[in-house]
Amino acid sequence: MFLKSIRFKITILYMAILALTLTSFSLILYHNVNVSLNSNMDTLLKSKAGGIAQAIDTYWQAANLEAMDGADASEILRKRRNANFSRIAQRWVKEESTDPKLLDIMVQVFDTDGKAIASSKNIAGLGEIPRGEFIPVLQGKQRFDTMADFRIYTAPVFENEKVAYIVQVASPLGSIKIALNNLKVGLFLLFPITVLTTGVMGAFLAKVTLHPVDNMIETIHQIRAENMMIKLKIPNTKDEIQKLAETFNDMLGRLESAFNTQRRLFADLSHELKTPLTILKGEFEVILKKTRSNVEYQETLKSALEETDRIISLAENLLILAKFDSKEISQKSEKLDITVLLKGITNNVRGLAELKEIMLSFSGLEGLWIYGDPNQLKILFLNIIENAFKYTPEKGRIEVSAVKRNASANISIKDTGPGIPEDEIGHIFDRFYRVDKSRSSSGFGLGLSIAKAVAESHGGGISVQSHPGEGTTFIVSLPLVRP
Ligand SMILES: Nc1ncnc2c1ncn2[C@@H]1O[C@H](COP(=O)(O)OP(=O)(O)O)[C@@H](O)[C@H]1O
Ligand SMILES: [Mg+2]
């Protein structure tokens, strides 16, 4: 679990990134320091070599000061293959190469044959550049070499554009090696210390940041259907974790209200079931008190049958709703003319209208094509029309009409019943909701819930307009088939 925790992953990621950065940084640093130390050394050697050549020349000129008077100075001063010059160079090296200004720099002077004519005392250990590689110098090229812990600079000194002799200076690389070594050790020590410190700090930071998540997990563990009011403590971090907690609480709120609805439904259902069963029981008890006539038995059984029908219809309605809820209901979708369907339904209830002395009218042009399940749509409109009959008093009016509105068919069912109070309109589509339970004994308050479910499953909807005392209009809108 710990190895998979975000805290662990973040920490490892931190450390890996830092290790990578440090490694590349160290490599670049080491490389740059190495290059710059060596190039400093080369510059130093070059300038020393130049200085030495100049000093030897000065020596040479001073030694020949008298000779320069009169005679052909240039011929006498020729250094190339001149034994006198070799001696002077030797003397200079002997006398001056211990000068503290030269530090631990070694000096050698070669003649144009590549033979050493003068060497400082401290050249022990300094290897010799192989003969073959020496030739380019004799021809006028300078060169740098690294041999056996020494950096060596070999450069020709010119006289009349010809090589007169060669100066070679060398310096031990020890100091550079020590400096680089120190750098290496420093970087090696820095690496684990920094990576570890970052790891510890990263782990701590992740722990602090994710602490609210641990709290949330603990609270969530305690949430059950019975105690949905438990809410997460919202951390005031203004970050994703706060957002997560808020979102979770929102979801809990929605779940809580859904659970409450279910609970209310359950209670309502028990109540609705109990009423007809109690009536049945009462009727049976009464009739069983003494011996009755056949007619009386028949009356009671007829009434019992009615109550049983009520229970069956309740069960049927609930079943339809349950199927809509679980999206189990399969729609036999077919292209149908809604005006034709409505005309049929209206004709079927004409008898009822005559019985209640209600004026029933229908208007609408044929050709309002929609896709839908005719059986479900029949249930939808019957439920609404049934209500209109149920709640409209005798000599009232019911008008059914179908019109085209934009891309929809709008079917309105208008009655002259008592209307629905404004504050109840929002509830009439709720399951088991009935405005006035005593208004009518029949019905469970499920008809409109079913109507709404059908309309919505057909991509449409239902709206209501009602003025208490004047009447109610239900408007069902269903999407038309696109031409
Ligand atoms: N045409 C109407 N006129 C007045 N009230 C209505 C009308 N249609 C529905 N209602 C109100 O809406 C409630 C819910 O309707 P419904 O779901 O069909 O349940 P039921 O008809 O079983 O009572 C009804 O109880 C009634 O109070
Ligand atoms: Mg109804």
Side-chain angles (χ1 to χ4, degrees), residues 45-56:
L45 285 178
K46 221 170 174 174
S47 90
K48 289 291 174 200
I52 288 165
Q54 235 169 35
I56 291 177

Side-chain angles (χ1 to χ4, degrees), residues 235-465:
N236 191 17
T237 44
K238 309 217 171 5
D239 57 5
E240 290 87 344
I241 294 177
Q242 179 176 352
K243 191 113 206 99
L244 179 70
E246 284 168 355
T247 313
F248 192 84
N249 276 352
D250 273 359
M251 183 197 71
L252 272 184
R254 284 195 301 273
L255 278 182
E256 192 188 355
S257 101
F259 266 104
N260 285 341
T261 310
Q262 291 293 328
R263 233 173 261 146
R264 217 182 36 245
L265 276 184
F266 212 64
D268 287 339
L269 173 62
S270 318
H271 177 78
E272 293 296 339
L273 267 176
K274 203 178 157 218
T275 315
L277 288 173
T278 313
I279 294 173
L280 265 182
K281 184 172 182 261
E283 282 174 352
F284 289 148
E285 271 170 359
V286 169
I287 200 131
L288 284 173
K289 267 204 178 121
K290 52 179 189 201
T291 317
R292 309 274 181 177
S293 68
N294 267 356
V295 178
E296 276 175 314
Y297 284 129
Q298 243 170 23
E299 293 265 292
T300 304
L301 282 177
K302 234 162 82 189
S303 157
L305 202 63
E306 266 169 31
E307 289 307 323
T308 322
D309 280 344
R310 247 179 85 75
I311 298 173
I312 290 174
S313 123
L314 171 63
E316 278 171 355
N317 282 338
L318 279 173
L319 209 63
I320 295 176
L321 278 172
K323 279 187 182 158
F324 271 113
D325 280 352
S326 61
K327 310 253 179 296
E328 223 179 71
I329 213 139
S330 56
Q331 249 168 38
K332 284 188 246 75
S333 222
E334 59 185 64
K335 195 174 163 185
L336 53 91
D337 186 340
I338 197 74
T339 312
V340 174
L341 184 97
L342 276 167
K343 229 184 233 168
I345 297 173
T346 328
N347 282 337
N348 284 347
V349 293
R350 266 198 206 288
L352 196 64
E354 269 163 36
L355 210 71
K356 264 194 99 173
E357 291 182 49
I358 283 175
M359 219 168 85
L360 175 67
S361 69
F362 176 80
S363 71
L365 288 176
E366 285 184 12
L368 292 181
W369 294 98
I370 65 153
Y371 276 118
D373 182 324
N375 288 329
Q376 285 181 22
L377 290 169
K378 252 179 224 159
I379 293 177
L380 189 174
F381 291 115
L382 265 179
N383 279 350
I384 295 176
I385 292 172
E386 232 175 42
N387 282 348
F389 274 106
K390 195 151 71 176
Y391 300 109
T392 304
E394 281 185 7
K395 306 222 168 18
R397 246 184 8 257
I398 297 175
E399 293 164 22
V400 181
S401 69
V403 292
K404 179 175 177 285
R405 269 278 173 308
N406 303 325
S408 297
N410 272 15
I411 298 100
S412 84
I413 295 107
K414 187 174 177 212
D415 66 45
T416 53
I420 303 163
E422 216 180 300
D423 52 332
E424 312 254 14
I425 281 193
H427 293 294
I428 56 169
F429 294 101
D430 292 352
R431 291 169 193 190
F432 291 116
Y433 193 89
R434 305 175 67 202
V435 174
D436 181 358
K437 301 240 175 207
S438 60
R439 228 191 232 177
S440 157
S441 63
S442 64
F444 304 101
L446 291 177
L448 287 180
S449 315
I450 293 173
K452 189 174 170 220
V454 174
E456 283 174 358
S457 79
H458 279 75
I462 305 183
S463 62
V464 206
Q465 289 160 9

Side-chain angles (χ1 to χ4, degrees), residues 3-40:
L3 292 185
K4 290 209 168 134
S5 69
I6 294 183
R7 199 185 306 163
F8 180 74
K9 284 185 199 158
I10 289 180
T11 309
I12 289 296
L13 200 72
Y14 270 166
M15 289 168 80
I17 291 174
L18 189 77
L20 213 75
T21 320
L22 268 183
T23 310
S24 17
F25 168 78
S26 302
L27 286 177
I28 293 170
L29 181 71
Y30 187 86
H31 175 256
N32 284 355
V33 169
N34 191 2
V35 166
S36 97
L37 280 180
N38 278 315
S39 95
N40 275 354

